Amino acid sequence: MRFKIKKQKGWKVKNSRPEEYLLSPKSYYTKDEVEKYSRSTGMRKAQQKIALRVLELLDIPESSNILDLGAGPGLTAEVYRDAGYIITCLDTIPEMLEKAKEKGFEYVEGDMTNLKQIFPKRKFDAVVSVSAVQWLKTPEEIKSLAEGINHVLKKGSPAVIQFYPRSERELNATAGIFKKVGFSVEVITDNPANPKKRTIFLVLKKS
Ligand SMILES: C[S@@+](CC[C@H](N)C(=O)[O-])C[C@H]1O[C@@H](n2cnc3c(N)ncnc32)[C@H](O)[C@@H]1O
């Protein structure tokens, strides 16, 4: 079941984005699109800026192990590595991971809603995700993601998710699902009054 967006208060995105009209990232990230994405200077700059903010919000010691969900070609992962962290990149698109592999990252092919199965025993000091979670379309998928993050995180450890919900209502519903799974949740919105620059982070802590 998709999130139900009824008449509502709060902001709502007007433009239709690929995440809404395509079934999965696999239909969007063709080989050509992966090339275009991984070479785009604009994308690199945008991802790097968000990654630096993620590090600020994470506030964890150097050398911590970070799992990057929807890591793509590793644009955000490069920022984390340069800052002294040890990164595992996870993505569903093999061509994306090929790029991350070329940069020397440990990479795992898989779906972020499947973390329990992918990492039955392995634990991380932190989990991050930048510009990827909006591909999950249903509350059930968000719940699987939340339970999976809870499973792979060490006790007391943080996760930061930056994503593009379609509306304030969807943002609050997503935050609510993480709370139900047992996280403490803080929603941080940078540039809240500017829809083009609005950047939303869920800062989560496993108790
Ligand atoms: C904007 S791109 C990459 C962002 C990445 N942070 C970077 O540094 O480039 C979003 C990525 O999320 C991945 N993605 C989308 N849904 C996913 C899912 N359910 N599981 C794993 N990866 C997913 C896509 O394949 C794509 O590579």
Side-chain angles (χ1 to χ4, degrees):
M1 191 179 68
R2 288 180 77 102
F3 283 102
K4 285 184 194 144
I5 309 295
K6 294 189 206 141
K7 227 175 173 199
Q8 60 182 43
K9 285 190 183 153
W11 55 263
K12 190 175 169 188
V13 174
K14 291 196 179 93
N15 302 341
S16 184
R17 305 169 300 188
E19 292 91 323
E20 283 134 44
Y21 60 77
L22 293 175
L23 263 184
S24 83
K26 286 185 178 160
S27 335
Y28 181 66
Y29 291 110
T30 58
K31 226 173 168 194
D32 283 352
E33 193 56 40
V34 169
E35 277 307 317
K36 212 166 94 188
Y37 178 83
S38 58
R39 286 170 192 220
S40 158
T41 318
M43 282 299 173
R44 174 175 299 274
K45 276 194 189 153
Q47 291 292 301
Q48 286 176 341
K49 190 173 169 203
I50 301 172
L52 286 172
R53 184 77 169 111
V54 165
L55 285 182
E56 226 173 73
L57 296 171
L58 266 184
D59 193 21
I60 52 171
E62 267 185 38
S63 304
S64 299
N65 289 297
I66 301 182
L67 174 63
D68 190 354
L69 303 176
L75 304 182
T76 43
E78 283 179 293
V79 174
Y80 310 138
R81 181 167 65 186
D82 289 349
Y85 298 102
I86 299 156
I87 314 303
T88 302
C89 294
L90 181 133
D91 206 282
T92 40
I93 313 274
E95 289 81 5
M96 285 286 197
L97 289 171
E98 204 43 52
K99 304 280 177 197
K101 184 182 164 192
E102 282 164 16
K103 292 174 185 164
F105 287 109
E106 184 199 342
Y107 63 97
V108 179
E109 188 183 333
D111 196 295
M112 64 171 97
T113 58
N114 249 339
L115 296 179
K116 280 189 200 173
Q117 289 83 345
I118 300 169
F119 301 109
K121 297 226 169 96
R122 197 163 159 197
K123 303 284 176 201
F124 293 88
D125 299 311
V127 174
V128 296
S129 184
V130 168
S131 312
V133 165
Q134 69 278 358
W135 279 102
L136 304 186
K137 295 192 165 57
T138 65
E140 291 77 15
E141 285 178 314
I142 297 288
K143 184 166 178 262
S144 302
L145 171 70
E147 288 173 349
I149 294 178
N150 196 40
H151 173 78
V152 298
L153 266 182
K154 291 179 188 166
K155 218 174 167 202
S157 294
V160 174
I161 294 175
Q162 179 275 329
F163 74 126
Y164 298 101
R166 285 183 297 157
S167 64
E168 199 163 349
R169 190 188 170 105
E170 185 175 301
L171 167 62
N172 292 333
T174 304
I177 293 170
F178 276 94
K179 272 186 201 152
K180 259 197 174 158
V181 166
F183 285 98
S184 74
V185 182
E186 192 184 354
V187 178
I188 293 185
T189 308
D190 290 351
N191 306 307
N194 182 339
K196 283 196 178 150
K197 290 192 174 167
R198 187 188 293 134
T199 314
I200 292 165
F201 301 85
L202 294 181
V203 182
L204 312 167
K205 195 135 203 188
K206 173 174 170 168
S207 45

